[in-house]
Short mmCIF file of all heavy atoms in Angstrom, two decimals:
data_model
loop_
_atom_site.label_atom_id
_atom_site.label_comp_id
_atom_site.label_asym_id
_atom_site.label_seq_id
_atom_site.Cartn_x
_atom_site.Cartn_y
_atom_site.Cartn_z
N LEU A 1 -16.58 -14.75 -18.41
CA LEU A 1 -16.65 -15.79 -17.38
C LEU A 1 -17.63 -15.44 -16.27
O LEU A 1 -17.66 -16.11 -15.24
CB LEU A 1 -15.26 -16.02 -16.77
CG LEU A 1 -14.22 -16.62 -17.71
CD1 LEU A 1 -12.87 -16.67 -17.03
CD2 LEU A 1 -14.66 -18.02 -18.13
N GLU A 2 -18.40 -14.37 -16.45
CA GLU A 2 -19.39 -13.90 -15.47
C GLU A 2 -18.74 -13.51 -14.15
O GLU A 2 -19.30 -13.70 -13.07
CB GLU A 2 -20.48 -14.95 -15.23
CG GLU A 2 -21.31 -15.24 -16.46
CD GLU A 2 -22.41 -16.23 -16.19
OE1 GLU A 2 -22.52 -16.68 -15.03
OE2 GLU A 2 -23.16 -16.54 -17.12
N ALA A 3 -17.52 -12.96 -14.23
CA ALA A 3 -16.82 -12.46 -13.05
C ALA A 3 -16.74 -10.95 -13.17
O ALA A 3 -15.68 -10.36 -13.42
CB ALA A 3 -15.44 -13.09 -12.93
N GLU A 4 -17.88 -10.29 -12.98
CA GLU A 4 -17.95 -8.85 -13.20
C GLU A 4 -17.12 -8.09 -12.17
O GLU A 4 -16.52 -7.06 -12.48
CB GLU A 4 -19.40 -8.38 -13.14
CG GLU A 4 -20.27 -8.90 -14.27
CD GLU A 4 -20.89 -10.24 -13.96
OE1 GLU A 4 -20.70 -10.71 -12.81
OE2 GLU A 4 -21.52 -10.83 -14.85
N PHE A 5 -17.09 -8.58 -10.94
CA PHE A 5 -16.34 -7.89 -9.90
C PHE A 5 -14.84 -7.88 -10.21
O PHE A 5 -14.17 -6.84 -10.09
CB PHE A 5 -16.58 -8.57 -8.55
CG PHE A 5 -15.79 -7.97 -7.42
CD1 PHE A 5 -16.15 -6.74 -6.88
CD2 PHE A 5 -14.69 -8.61 -6.91
CE1 PHE A 5 -15.43 -6.18 -5.85
CE2 PHE A 5 -13.95 -8.05 -5.89
CZ PHE A 5 -14.33 -6.83 -5.35
N LEU A 6 -14.30 -9.01 -10.66
CA LEU A 6 -12.88 -9.07 -11.02
C LEU A 6 -12.60 -8.20 -12.24
O LEU A 6 -11.54 -7.57 -12.33
CB LEU A 6 -12.47 -10.51 -11.28
CG LEU A 6 -12.48 -11.45 -10.08
CD1 LEU A 6 -12.11 -12.86 -10.50
CD2 LEU A 6 -11.53 -10.96 -9.00
N ALA A 7 -13.52 -8.16 -13.18
CA ALA A 7 -13.31 -7.34 -14.39
C ALA A 7 -13.26 -5.87 -14.05
O ALA A 7 -12.36 -5.14 -14.49
CB ALA A 7 -14.43 -7.63 -15.39
N ILE A 8 -14.22 -5.39 -13.24
CA ILE A 8 -14.22 -3.96 -12.91
C ILE A 8 -13.07 -3.62 -11.97
O ILE A 8 -12.51 -2.53 -12.02
CB ILE A 8 -15.57 -3.55 -12.30
CG1 ILE A 8 -15.73 -2.03 -12.31
CG2 ILE A 8 -15.75 -4.10 -10.91
CD1 ILE A 8 -15.76 -1.42 -13.67
N THR A 9 -12.66 -4.58 -11.12
CA THR A 9 -11.50 -4.35 -10.27
C THR A 9 -10.23 -4.24 -11.10
O THR A 9 -9.36 -3.38 -10.83
CB THR A 9 -11.36 -5.49 -9.25
OG1 THR A 9 -12.55 -5.59 -8.49
CG2 THR A 9 -10.19 -5.25 -8.31
N LEU A 10 -10.10 -5.07 -12.11
CA LEU A 10 -8.93 -5.00 -12.99
C LEU A 10 -8.87 -3.66 -13.71
O LEU A 10 -7.80 -3.06 -13.82
CB LEU A 10 -8.98 -6.15 -14.00
CG LEU A 10 -7.80 -6.28 -14.96
CD1 LEU A 10 -6.52 -6.57 -14.20
CD2 LEU A 10 -8.06 -7.37 -15.98
N VAL A 11 -10.02 -3.17 -14.16
CA VAL A 11 -10.03 -1.89 -14.87
C VAL A 11 -9.75 -0.73 -13.93
O VAL A 11 -8.94 0.15 -14.21
CB VAL A 11 -11.38 -1.71 -15.60
CG1 VAL A 11 -11.50 -0.30 -16.16
CG2 VAL A 11 -11.53 -2.73 -16.71
N LEU A 12 -10.41 -0.74 -12.76
CA LEU A 12 -10.26 0.40 -11.84
C LEU A 12 -8.89 0.45 -11.20
O LEU A 12 -8.27 1.51 -11.11
CB LEU A 12 -11.35 0.33 -10.76
CG LEU A 12 -12.78 0.61 -11.22
CD1 LEU A 12 -13.74 0.48 -10.05
CD2 LEU A 12 -12.88 1.98 -11.83
N VAL A 13 -8.41 -0.71 -10.73
CA VAL A 13 -7.16 -0.72 -9.97
C VAL A 13 -5.96 -0.63 -10.90
O VAL A 13 -5.10 0.25 -10.76
CB VAL A 13 -7.08 -1.97 -9.08
CG1 VAL A 13 -5.72 -2.05 -8.39
CG2 VAL A 13 -8.19 -1.94 -8.04
N TYR A 14 -5.88 -1.53 -11.88
CA TYR A 14 -4.68 -1.57 -12.72
C TYR A 14 -4.69 -0.50 -13.79
O TYR A 14 -3.73 0.25 -13.94
CB TYR A 14 -4.54 -2.96 -13.34
CG TYR A 14 -4.02 -3.98 -12.36
CD1 TYR A 14 -4.88 -4.79 -11.66
CD2 TYR A 14 -2.66 -4.09 -12.12
CE1 TYR A 14 -4.41 -5.71 -10.74
CE2 TYR A 14 -2.17 -5.00 -11.21
CZ TYR A 14 -3.06 -5.81 -10.53
OH TYR A 14 -2.57 -6.71 -9.62
N VAL A 15 -5.77 -0.43 -14.56
CA VAL A 15 -5.81 0.55 -15.64
C VAL A 15 -5.98 1.96 -15.08
O VAL A 15 -5.33 2.91 -15.53
CB VAL A 15 -6.94 0.21 -16.64
CG1 VAL A 15 -7.04 1.27 -17.72
CG2 VAL A 15 -6.70 -1.16 -17.25
N GLY A 16 -6.83 2.11 -14.08
CA GLY A 16 -7.13 3.44 -13.59
C GLY A 16 -6.11 4.01 -12.63
O GLY A 16 -6.02 5.22 -12.48
N ALA A 17 -5.33 3.16 -11.96
CA ALA A 17 -4.40 3.67 -10.95
C ALA A 17 -2.96 3.27 -11.24
O ALA A 17 -2.09 4.12 -11.41
CB ALA A 17 -4.82 3.17 -9.57
N VAL A 18 -2.71 1.98 -11.31
CA VAL A 18 -1.33 1.50 -11.42
C VAL A 18 -0.72 1.88 -12.76
O VAL A 18 0.40 2.39 -12.83
CB VAL A 18 -1.27 -0.03 -11.21
CG1 VAL A 18 0.14 -0.55 -11.41
CG2 VAL A 18 -1.79 -0.39 -9.82
N MET A 19 -1.46 1.69 -13.84
CA MET A 19 -0.89 1.98 -15.15
C MET A 19 -0.75 3.49 -15.39
O MET A 19 0.15 3.92 -16.10
CB MET A 19 -1.73 1.35 -16.26
CG MET A 19 -1.72 -0.16 -16.23
SD MET A 19 -0.07 -0.86 -16.00
CE MET A 19 0.81 -0.20 -17.37
N VAL A 20 -1.65 4.28 -14.79
CA VAL A 20 -1.48 5.73 -14.89
C VAL A 20 -0.21 6.14 -14.16
O VAL A 20 0.56 7.00 -14.63
CB VAL A 20 -2.71 6.44 -14.32
CG1 VAL A 20 -2.48 7.94 -14.21
CG2 VAL A 20 -3.93 6.16 -15.19
N LEU A 21 0.05 5.53 -13.01
CA LEU A 21 1.29 5.81 -12.29
C LEU A 21 2.51 5.38 -13.11
O LEU A 21 3.50 6.12 -13.21
CB LEU A 21 1.28 5.10 -10.94
CG LEU A 21 2.54 5.24 -10.09
CD1 LEU A 21 2.74 6.70 -9.68
CD2 LEU A 21 2.44 4.36 -8.84
N PHE A 22 2.46 4.19 -13.72
CA PHE A 22 3.55 3.73 -14.58
C PHE A 22 3.77 4.70 -15.74
O PHE A 22 4.91 5.04 -16.07
CB PHE A 22 3.25 2.33 -15.12
CG PHE A 22 3.51 1.23 -14.14
CD1 PHE A 22 3.93 1.50 -12.86
CD2 PHE A 22 3.31 -0.09 -14.50
CE1 PHE A 22 4.17 0.49 -11.95
CE2 PHE A 22 3.54 -1.11 -13.60
CZ PHE A 22 3.96 -0.81 -12.32
N LEU A 23 2.69 5.12 -16.37
CA LEU A 23 2.80 6.04 -17.50
C LEU A 23 3.40 7.37 -17.06
O LEU A 23 4.25 7.94 -17.75
CB LEU A 23 1.42 6.24 -18.12
CG LEU A 23 1.36 7.10 -19.39
CD1 LEU A 23 2.18 6.47 -20.49
CD2 LEU A 23 -0.09 7.25 -19.82
N PHE A 24 3.00 7.85 -15.89
CA PHE A 24 3.55 9.11 -15.38
C PHE A 24 5.04 8.97 -15.11
O PHE A 24 5.83 9.85 -15.46
CB PHE A 24 2.80 9.50 -14.10
CG PHE A 24 3.30 10.76 -13.49
CD1 PHE A 24 3.02 12.00 -14.05
CD2 PHE A 24 4.06 10.73 -12.33
CE1 PHE A 24 3.49 13.17 -13.49
CE2 PHE A 24 4.53 11.89 -11.75
CZ PHE A 24 4.24 13.11 -12.33
#
């Protein structure tokens, strides 16, 4: 959808931080 900022924010914030915390 050409929303690169939202895509990288989703990866960095949720996958990189929140989900790592959930997994821990």
